Amino acid sequence: MSDTRIADIKGRRVWDSRGRPTVEVDVRLKSGASGRAIAPAGASMGSGEAVDLRDGGAKLGGYDVGRAVNAVNSEIAVALASMDAADQAAIDQAMIALDGTANKGRLGGNAIVATSMAVLHAAAAASGVPLWQHLAQDRKVRIPLPEIQIFGGGAHAARRVDIQDFMVMCPGAASFAQALEWTAEVYLAAGHIMKQAGKLQGVADEGGYWPAFRSNEEALDTLVASILKAGFKGGDDVAISLDVAASEFGKNGTYTLALDDRKLDTGAMIDMLGRWCEAYPIISIEDPVAEDDAEGFAAFTRAYGDRCQVIGDDFLVTNAARVGKAAADGATTAVLIKPNQAGTITETRAALDAGKAAGFGTIVSARSGETEDVTIVHLSIGWDAGQLKVGSFSRSERMAKWNECLRIEETLGRDTVFAGRGALGFRR
Ligand code: 2PG
Ligand code: MG
């Protein structure tokens, strides 16, 4: 066995897909094996997330990460020196204890998650297998069903439309490669439609077309038109998935749809989404109501959760206890899993396990601020999450992840099982 004790940890400032600073960490083990990871960053964030440590002030809009990088190179490097990288739980626990806050705000969720993921990569490198395989051990894994954005919105497009992500999923595809090919056709068709309508205005933060629409419904109509133009039957082959990200425009039971110039209470919000579920081939809705509206979540899930996956993101913030409570309350049927919401690999895994124990759909997800880091693809496969959300079908921080998943599917060859439709979580 190689020596998996940590020899050296180095943090540095690199840059993310929004041109903002973020934290990269290199971990080197005594055996010489090494791992690297970069912290992503959200724009629409749950209030219960681990928080990034930013320097504030005027420089770089306050987004600089000098203090977080410094935390990696001083306190964290000292605390983890000579610890065993193969014992991820002990590594993560040491950082949690060292930070000492409930939201990881002292050392920074960005410093901690980048270190936690880099340690995991180093342990995988020491074992001589790809990360997904290191995580899966001998268990069977599936290649995830991808959830891919066609139009961006909400906080990722200057709130040009209220709804954040207009996405497609391909439950009828036979493989991940086929799901990507079908999505590429839909993305292409959407571009043609936008161009013809004189609405092609570039892309939003995650690579989906800029949502130059007059109403939220026009975005849905255009998405359906794109699916049909690409030659697919809406619903069976290619279906619609939405991230409403309702916490961005709703609080205390009032939702303000700026584009549609309407204010809705929780009941009206649920009715509107319900009408959309009837009128459009929607199979998944994330954060249909705000994070402070647990009863709204349960009401929506009771009404539509048998035919539409109901995902908690800002509501559950990759927290095992919250996932357990949502399961007990029937508040969602699925959970979004984002490592930097939890702050460590161990806590991320615990949230995913809680979701699986509840029979939920589990979706490993990127953030709107991303990089070339492809760790989440390996987590999704190695932990057999079944679903993967990465943003759209353009911009290399997104394509790097889709392409990594393609390579792994190819590696598996005949043994490949594509999660497909069966990965979706519905109310039972
Ligand atoms: C989300 C993510 C990705 P952000 O809300 O699910 O779409 O956005 O990273 O800004 O939270
Ligand atoms: Mg979300």
Side-chain angles (χ1 to χ4, degrees), residues 42-44 156 164-165 206 243 286 313 336 338 366-368 389:
S44 67
H156 305 157
Q164 180 180 285
D165 298 323
E206 298 195 344
D243 182 0
E286 180 178 328
D313 171 19
L336 207 71
K338 293 167 163 171
R367 300 309 303 249
S368 49
K389 179 187 182 193

Side-chain angles (χ1 to χ4, degrees), residues 55-64:
D55 294 352
K59 186 185 164 200
L60 294 169
Y63 287 111
D64 209 357

Side-chain angles (χ1 to χ4, degrees), residues 97-404:
L98 183 67
D99 174 75
T101 67
N103 65 6
K104 302 189 173 64
R106 194 180 76 77
L107 298 171
N110 43 0
I112 294 173
V113 79
T115 306
S116 183
M117 295 194 302
V119 167
L120 179 66
H121 277 286
S127 68
V129 296
L131 178 54
W132 70 265
Q133 206 175 336
H134 174 69
L135 293 166
Q137 302 287 336
D138 293 327
R139 288 183 295 274
K140 279 251 171 240
V141 294
R142 294 167 300 165
I143 300 293
L145 175 67
E147 189 183 15
I148 308 184
Q149 189 192 69
I150 304 298
F151 301 114
H156 305 157
R159 298 182 204 290
R160 180 64 186 72
V161 298
D162 302 289
I163 307 304
Q164 180 180 285
D165 298 323
F166 296 87
M167 299 171 285
V168 293
M169 300 182 90
C170 300
S175 66
F176 183 83
Q178 187 168 52
L180 286 197
E181 188 176 305
W182 289 6
T183 305
E185 296 283 15
V186 174
Y187 190 73
L188 190 72
H192 283 142
I193 291 174
M194 294 300 272
K195 188 163 184 216
Q196 267 177 350
K199 289 174 181 288
L200 196 57
Q201 299 174 10
V203 300
D205 274 9
E206 298 195 344
Y209 293 110
W210 188 262
F213 299 115
R214 284 183 303 271
S215 66
N216 291 294
E217 262 113 344
E218 191 192 347
L220 282 165
D221 290 332
T222 310
L223 187 48
V224 170
S226 306
I227 292 170
L228 296 179
K229 184 177 165 68
F232 300 106
K233 230 173 103 209
D236 289 346
D237 293 337
V238 183
I240 293 178
S241 162
L242 299 178
D243 182 0
V244 177
S247 307
E248 290 290 311
F249 58 86
K251 215 179 159 80
N252 301 324
T254 303
Y255 297 86
T256 307
L257 291 169
L259 184 61
D260 301 345
D261 194 20
R262 281 200 293 167
K263 270 199 195 318
L264 306 176
D265 63 15
T266 300
M269 183 75 185
I270 291 173
D271 289 347
M272 179 191 75
L273 295 175
R275 276 196 307 280
W276 289 358
C277 288
E278 309 276 354
Y280 302 100
I282 296 174
I283 51 165
S284 181
I285 297 194
E286 180 178 328
D287 286 347
V289 292
E291 62 174 16
D292 67 356
D293 202 346
E295 280 176 23
F297 265 96
F300 185 78
T301 298
R302 271 196 306 277
Y304 301 103
D306 55 345
R307 55 194 158 117
C308 175
Q309 170 173 261
V310 185
I311 308 173
D313 171 19
D314 296 349
F315 180 52
L316 301 178
V317 289
T318 314
N319 177 296
R322 290 194 190 209
V323 174
K325 180 154 188 347
D329 296 346
T332 67
T333 68
V335 54
L336 207 71
I337 299 292
K338 293 167 163 171
N340 81 325
Q341 280 184 330
T344 63
I345 283 294
T346 304
E347 291 161 286
T348 305
R349 175 69 196 258
L352 182 123
D353 286 348
K356 285 194 169 192
F360 280 6
T362 52
I363 306 100
V364 174
S365 171
R367 300 309 303 249
S368 49
E370 272 292 338
T371 65
E372 64 272 27
D373 186 293
V374 296
T375 308
I376 56 161
V377 175
H378 289 260
L379 299 182
S380 171
I381 297 170
W383 288 345
D384 195 27
Q387 299 177 64
L388 178 64
K389 179 187 182 193
V390 165
S392 191
F393 212 66
S394 75
R395 298 182 51 136
S396 290
E397 79 279 5
R398 314 289 151 189
M399 305 318 291
K401 295 169 183 60
W402 301 132
N403 290 339
E404 180 75 352

